[in-house]
Amino acid sequence: MAGLLGLLGLLPLAGRAQVLVGATAFGPVFRGLRPAGADTSLLLVARARRVGVSTFVQTSGARGYLHFGNQQVRYRVGTDMIYDSRGVPPFVREDYGADLAHIITLDAAQHWQVGQQLHYDQSRANATRTGLWLGRLGYQTRLRPGHAADTLSQMRLTLLGGLATDTRNGRSDAGAAYGFDAAAIYFANGLAAAPLAVRVLGTRANLGPRIMQRLVAEAVGEQTFLEGAPLTVQGRLGYRTNRAEDYLLGSVQRIQSDTVAVQAGATYKLNEFATLRSDNSLLVPNRAFRYRRLGERPDTLQDVGYRQRELDTRQELRFAQPKLQTSLSFSYHERTRAYYLDNSRYLNVPRLAAALAREQVKDITEQTILWQGNMTWLPSPRHSLSLAGTAQLLRVDAPSKDNQQIRDEAQHLLRLVWTGRWAGAFRTTLGVAGEYRQTIFIRASQSAENYDDHLLHWEPGFTWAPGKWSIRSQYHLWVSYQVRNLEAEQARNRASRVLEQTQAITYQLQPRLLLLADYVRRENRVGQLNWTQFRESPLDTSVTHDLSVGGRQSWVGRRGSTSLRLGYRLLEQRNYGRAALVLDQPTGPATSLIYLHNITRQQGPELAVERHSGSGSFNLTASIWLQWMRTYSTYSRGKGTYSGSSYTALDLDRDTRRVLPYFELAAEWRVGHR
């Protein structure tokens, strides 16, 4: 309910630019009564980092809030970029956005407001640009003026009108934009209880031959029928319709979306230890894709749509005592989608039936049944035992015989975790889990894909903090045996083992000097499985080592805190597998089996700096890893030949070396912080 209060709080000031002219990468213009950093005249934000050999990401922005007299000004500008130096053009994403809102309160009671709002959004990578100017007139009043304690029950009305522009697909459109926003929130049972909230929002923009239109209506409430009664009922009713149009193949494509949502829930307290909860919802979204020609060219696009229904229900029983907490829940989800055609191309009966049959291949029904149980037992203050179980069944059905998605998926999981705390700040954990998955395709043509998956998990770990030392060690081993059902598909059986281990050691050398060492290792082995004999032949193995050592020195003063970390990092990945070596010989076999090792090693010094001002007006985090990167291969000859990936001796002798500085920067600076 707190999110709803925040949503209603934005009504006097917020505009709806993205609703009228399309969503932007920067989201709504303003999400609350005041934006983040509401007590800041200017907030500067900048983030940049290298994410790959040739890929960089960068975001930057400035926003703020100004209040003088009866006027308020809020603004925001920003950029969002992804750069790939190998691309043509190099920018994968290059977005710019700007928003400005100016509100004037006309009376001392703050009932009436007038104002304006400007919005600009540009995506150079997609060659799109949108703009919006909106004038607004707003009115708000208290719904319970006779109750001095209730200052939150109120009604708000807003009228919007202005001009919208949109440039895309080589076309520039402009037209009138207008809308309204009405909302009310009413605390009928006092401020401690949940309120009743109602909202209706409508917007429309006429952009040349295109129309963008939206209508949202929603009501939310919660009621306890009798004071002190154990039953509480919640409900939500909503309707949303959205019309978005764009250019496609010489036509205007209209996407019409209509959705009705109903939700009802209840909480019943059986006694002081047990609670029963029920949550049920029905969602009916319908979509239609319609086309109208812009010229005299033949119409090649057919109007199509689908009707959908989604049903969700969840029943949960919770039991809580000081030493035992348990819960049992049942969930059911059903989604049904059916496609239809409008005969917009005036097809004859046989052609219309054939076109409809092609669309109805996508008709589908999904049903998911889920049982979940959890239990936590505290046999003593220092020990706990947790048991969790899951049983899920997914059934996918379709009326068309050409739909290959029809299948059943079953999953069963049981997990046990023990946690113990011992003397000397020593803590141990031990987790074990077993999982069984089964996938069965109903169509005979897909039966070769039927398989069973058996998984085992083993997760021991400990944490020890004796004095100045802190040692943390975690392991996770999971084994998967995937077995095909058909006898002819046994060659596709696979066994995989994944081992992850994390070691972290710290030592407090001085009060503000900390020594650190971290090591992460991940090993993944994949092999061909003979399930009847329970034997496997290795196919591929990859091992990753990530080692980081260093020290961190910190300083704390009246103006803030600073920390400096200096260290060394090694990241190495080794891939083991079989391949073929191309032989340069006139007689004999053309290839030979080899056991190939591909090695990528990245290593170098690391430097990281953090600065936080005492007032919170400035925060800086920067790091750089000056990385020497080397990629090379080694191999040994085997017996016989191999049919698979093949390499020449020249390929395998190639040794690549590069110097790549990986960096990350994040900074925030508040100017005019109050």
Side-chain angles (χ1 to χ4, degrees), residues 219-335:
V220 182
E222 179 178 311
Q223 182 65 44
T224 301
F225 292 102
L226 296 175
E227 185 176 356
L231 179 63
T232 301
V233 177
Q234 310 92 24
R236 179 188 298 266
L237 178 64
Y239 172 74
R240 179 190 300 265
T241 178
N242 188 71
R243 174 180 177 179
E245 295 186 344
D246 204 350
Y247 298 106
L248 180 67
L249 300 177
S251 300
V252 173
Q253 181 191 53
R254 172 183 172 183
I255 304 177
Q256 181 68 45
S257 171
D258 302 287
T259 303
V260 176
V262 181
Q263 182 267 335
T267 302
Y268 185 76
K269 192 171 184 180
L270 300 173
N271 53 47
E272 60 177 331
F273 303 114
T275 303
L276 179 63
R277 297 179 180 177
S278 176
D279 189 10
N280 312 276
S281 64
L282 175 64
L283 193 66
V284 186
N286 297 322
R287 303 290 185 271
F289 302 86
R290 306 183 184 279
Y291 305 88
R292 62 179 184 272
R293 289 173 292 176
L294 292 174
E296 297 300 327
R297 62 173 56 186
D299 185 8
T300 59
L301 299 173
Q302 175 71 56
D303 291 354
V304 65
Y306 65 81
R307 301 179 180 91
Q308 185 168 306
R309 184 191 65 201
E310 295 186 39
L311 174 65
D312 271 288
T313 180
R314 177 182 173 87
Q315 319 301 321
E316 182 183 44
L317 176 63
R318 286 184 174 270
F319 181 82
Q321 282 190 335
K323 289 191 175 183
L324 181 66
Q325 295 89 38
T326 63
S327 68
L328 178 65
S329 65
F330 168 78
S331 301
Y332 176 78
H333 172 79
E334 179 179 315
R335 182 176 73 94

Side-chain angles (χ1 to χ4, degrees), residues 546-549 567-571 602-606 625-626:
D546 191 347
L547 172 66
S548 178
V549 295
Y568 167 86
R569 184 182 179 189
L570 167 67
L571 178 63
Q602 302 161 268
Q603 58 180 323
E606 267 190 319
W625 178 22
L626 186 57

Side-chain angles (χ1 to χ4, degrees), residues 577-583 592-599 630-637 645-656:
R578 290 180 291 180
L581 176 65
V582 178
L583 302 178
S592 173
L593 169 67
I594 59 173
Y595 299 99
L596 180 63
H597 299 173
N598 293 317
I599 304 171
R630 182 188 178 192
T631 303
Y632 64 101
S633 302
T634 63
Y635 65 94
S636 59
R637 296 279 293 268
S645 301
S646 59
Y647 303 89
T648 65
L650 183 61
D651 295 332
L652 299 178
D653 289 340
R654 187 173 292 114
D655 193 333
T656 304

